[in-house]
Amino acid sequence: MAGKNDQKEIRYMIVLEDVCKAFGNTVAVDQVSLVIPDRARVAILGPSGSGKTTLLRLVAGLEMPDKGTISMGGHAVSGSDVFVPPSERRIGFVFQSGALWPHMTVAENILFAFNALPEGEQQRRLDLLLDRMAIPNLRDRYPDQISGGEARRVALARALAPRPEILLLDEPLTNLDHALREELLVLIAESAREEGSIMLYVTHDEHEAAIVADSTIRFKAGRVLE
Ligand code: ADP
Ligand code: MG
């Protein structure tokens, strides 16, 4: 791979080599090899059941591969003799459901993800993220007191809160109307760019992929097509 002088450039590159994951007889991810460069914003496109969510969960460390290795920033995180837990992978995850903790306010939901940062910085970052998501007025509301679109903004802020190197989004705009989706797509793309993180954005929508990402990986039946 790269020599010493290239270390900085490859710092947060994600590399998958021959990664396989099956559930019983169902092969969800089949011999996938990928190199995702630092700061890349990648859309992962494919039909339902093609293995997109499983791929994201493997990267996050929420699933263990049956075979193959995953490395981040030059270090193996999943492999035959290594497994780095999700909490140590510097990832932010926006799930398909976008679920927020119902018993916590918006601010508490976002702050919950911060445990690694000092208190003063937590508050500054909370303010910054609330501003960036245009929801400073929602700070003390509970999830059942905000709209679906607002909840997606909170979920995005929560994922970005601990300054992840890798932002993983699994069909984050499902069940939103067209105008709101367009608005949030731009917000997601800008946020990933400003944070300088790698973004993996799972969708089955070509239009979303074109707006949010600068490259595309196509999945079919657990395999990468191109
Ligand atoms: P996608 O996100 O592209 O819709 P998934 O990664 O969710 O696809 O699923 C890929 C395949 O793996 C599907 O056939 C699905 O039913 C199966 N699968 C995913 N997760 C599990 C699981 N926890 N248990 C059993 N089968 C699963
Ligand atoms: Mg899925």
Side-chain angles (χ1 to χ4, degrees), residues 47-54 96 170-171 202:
S48 182
S50 58
K52 307 183 297 298
T53 293
T54 304
Q96 200 160 358
D170 192 358
E171 308 203 35
V202 163

Side-chain angles (χ1 to χ4, degrees), residues 20-29 49 51 53-55 57-58 62-64 66:
C20 300
K21 179 70 187 178
F23 300 99
N25 291 330
T26 306
V27 179
V29 167
T53 293
T54 304
L55 181 82
R57 291 175 56 84
L58 284 161
L62 297 170
E63 301 284 356
M64 237 182 262
D66 301 328

Side-chain angles (χ1 to χ4, degrees), residues 9-225:
E9 279 68 35
I10 64 158
R11 227 167 121 212
Y12 291 107
M13 188 164 86
I14 308 171
V15 181
L16 285 83
E17 285 176 286
D18 198 26
V19 171
C20 300
K21 179 70 187 178
F23 300 99
N25 291 330
T26 306
V27 179
V29 167
D30 192 9
Q31 300 176 336
V32 167
S33 294
L34 287 171
V35 175
I36 298 165
D38 199 14
R39 290 168 185 260
R41 287 179 289 130
V42 182
I44 298 169
L45 267 166
S48 182
S50 58
K52 307 183 297 298
T53 293
T54 304
L55 181 82
L56 233 55
R57 291 175 56 84
L58 284 161
V59 171
L62 297 170
E63 301 284 356
M64 237 182 262
D66 301 328
K67 190 168 159 275
T69 58
I70 302 173
S71 67
M72 293 170 186
H75 301 285
V77 293
S78 293
S80 55
D81 55 359
V82 57
F83 187 75
V84 175
S87 58
E88 290 167 29
R89 290 195 182 196
R90 306 209 60 188
I91 48 150
F93 207 132
V94 180
F95 296 94
Q96 200 160 358
S97 61
L100 301 174
W101 290 287
H103 60 292
M104 292 184 190
T105 64
V106 163
E108 287 163 352
N109 262 280
I110 297 170
L111 282 170
F112 189 80
F114 271 115
N115 41 30
L117 297 182
E119 181 98 9
E121 196 182 339
Q122 288 185 19
Q123 287 301 325
R124 273 199 303 280
R125 185 134 175 90
L126 174 63
D127 290 339
L128 181 143
L129 287 166
L130 288 170
D131 278 348
R132 189 186 287 163
M133 300 304 149
I135 51 171
N137 54 320
L138 303 183
R139 202 185 172 99
D140 298 319
R141 300 240 198 119
Y142 286 88
D144 65 358
Q145 300 170 326
I146 64 179
S147 72
E150 289 165 346
R152 309 305 165 100
R153 291 173 193 264
V154 179
L156 183 59
R158 183 177 60 183
L160 291 169
R163 300 184 194 283
E165 297 298 341
I166 303 168
L167 181 61
L168 304 169
L169 304 110
D170 192 358
E171 308 203 35
L173 304 181
T174 316
N175 298 327
L176 293 179
D177 69 43
H178 180 74
L180 203 47
R181 265 174 40 211
E182 296 297 299
E183 202 180 315
L184 290 178
L185 273 173
V186 173
L187 188 62
I188 289 169
E190 279 175 359
S191 299
R193 197 160 43 228
E194 278 167 23
E195 293 289 323
S197 46
I198 290 179
M199 180 184 77
L200 300 183
Y201 185 102
V202 163
T203 179
H204 54 261
D205 184 307
E206 298 273 349
H207 170 71
E208 278 189 19
I211 291 188
V212 86
D214 46 31
S215 63
T216 297
I217 292 168
R218 280 169 206 280
F219 248 72
K220 194 177 176 190
R223 289 190 173 233
V224 175
L225 288 184

